[in-house]
Amino acid sequence: DAGVIQSPRHEVTEMGQEVTLRCKPISGHDYLFWYRQTMMRGLELLIYFNNNVPIDDSGMPEDRFSAKMPNASFSTLKIQPSEPRDSAVYFCASSTIPFGGYTFGSGTRLTVV
Amino acid sequence: DQQVKQNSPSLSVQEGRISILNCDYTNSMFDYFLWYKKYPAEGPTFLISISSIKDKNEDGRFTVFLNKSAKHLSLHIVPSQPGDSAVYFCAASGGGGGGADGLTFGKGTHLIIQP
């Protein structure tokens, strides 16, 4: 298996633009998680899905953030409009159980200028 | 408020010696704990875990100890090797029983193994 695949690896965008991050989980993994890593806050959970259904989005910082999982093999995290404080590394992870053994993707480094 | 705390941002250890990474948590509902290892430009990878019904779990050179009364866990690596140089994240789950809230991570400790 190729593991969890995230794209793009790097994204540089101007403030106010829409940004879409993509994730392909491992086949057979029912849980998908979006995390954000910053120096100040470390790794924080934004949202997670079970069987394509969003279960907990309490970590999504603002309405500018939205996530979808239209099918078992694809998820997106969208920021519209983007702001410089959104600059971070965004990780997607998938798992067969909700409380451990996550497989993480390599992350998307987002820079908003 | 950080529910999982790793108070040492970095740790330097000589090759061959023991590395001890520490982690404290505040949520008494956490019942499952994990350590992840992260190299630059890669995602975290799972290393070892422990359930709250145990106080020790060992896997090769890696041992995790859990002290529930102190809400403290530690990761021991012995002997330390150059390839162990990475950022180590402590994580916990189980708030509410069953881990429905995903994993809560500490900020990480950067372990540097010196030759």
Side-chain angles (χ1 to χ4, degrees), chain A residues 3-113:
Chain A
V4 176
I5 299 172
Q6 291 187 247
S7 64
R9 287 298 306 271
H10 302 273
E11 177 79 39
V12 181
T13 190
E14 290 187 347
M15 183 174 62
Q17 296 297 305
E18 178 180 296
V19 175
T20 299
L21 312 181
R22 296 172 176 80
C23 175
K24 176 178 168 56
I26 290 174
S27 177
H29 282 194
D30 297 329
Y31 291 88
L32 183 140
F33 305 83
W34 282 100
Y35 278 85
R36 177 172 69 174
Q37 184 186 20
T38 60
M39 290 293 292
M40 288 293 293
R41 302 176 68 86
L43 272 165
E44 45 179 351
L45 177 65
L46 300 178
I47 185 171
Y48 81 95
F49 296 83
N50 178 212
N51 291 323
N52 314 337
V53 176
I55 303 300
D56 183 358
D57 65 355
S58 59
M60 298 285 260
E62 298 172 36
D63 291 345
R64 299 183 296 106
F65 286 70
S66 63
K68 294 182 179 179
M69 192 164 185
N71 56 63
S73 59
F74 184 64
S75 177
T76 59
L77 177 67
K78 185 179 293 185
I79 309 172
Q80 165 65 15
S82 57
E83 296 183 4
R85 59 194 167 117
D86 301 332
S87 297
V89 181
Y90 290 80
F91 288 102
C92 174
S94 70
S95 177
T96 56
I97 55 175
F99 52 86
Y102 298 179
T103 300
F104 281 82
S106 298
T108 295
R109 180 173 293 277
L110 174 65
T111 303
V112 183
V113 298

